Amino acid sequence: ECRARGVFRENKITPLIGDRVKIRENNLDMTGYVEEIMERETELIRPPVANVTQAVIVMSVKSPSLNLWLLDRFLVLA
């Protein structure tokens, strides 16, 4: 289990799922601290994830009927 250090809160940096990080381990109780967040290659806002290399968009064609506006929005976000 790792926790982010307070320096991230001070710099208004939020660790995201998928972030590549450097950690400092505490071998006594199997915990640690996130020391550094590496540069992100990509970042999605919804859901909040980082370093995504592939996205799969799945939508119904028949029931409910296909919503092309929503499909366009998902494609733009991806």
Side-chain angles (χ1 to χ4, degrees):
E1 180 178 324
C2 289
R3 295 178 180 234
R5 298 185 59 124
V7 70
F8 298 123
R9 188 177 328 113
E10 292 172 9
N11 294 331
K12 298 181 180 176
I13 299 172
T14 303
L16 297 177
I17 296 170
D19 273 335
R20 294 178 182 94
V21 298
K22 290 185 182 179
I23 62 169
R24 176 169 292 171
E25 293 181 77
N26 183 0
N27 292 330
L28 298 175
D29 59 359
M30 300 300 292
T31 62
Y33 291 96
V34 176
E35 291 284 320
E36 181 181 352
I37 299 174
M38 311 309 273
E39 185 176 347
R40 295 175 178 149
E41 294 175 13
T42 61
E43 181 178 345
L44 291 178
I45 297 169
R46 280 185 68 186
V49 294
N51 300 318
V52 175
T53 57
Q54 288 185 347
V56 177
I57 299 170
V58 179
M59 299 188 77
S60 171
V61 177
K62 190 170 185 178
S63 178
S65 61
L66 181 63
N67 184 338
L68 294 177
W69 179 85
L70 189 59
L71 176 60
D72 285 344
R73 185 169 175 183
F74 285 158
L75 289 172
V76 168
L77 288 174

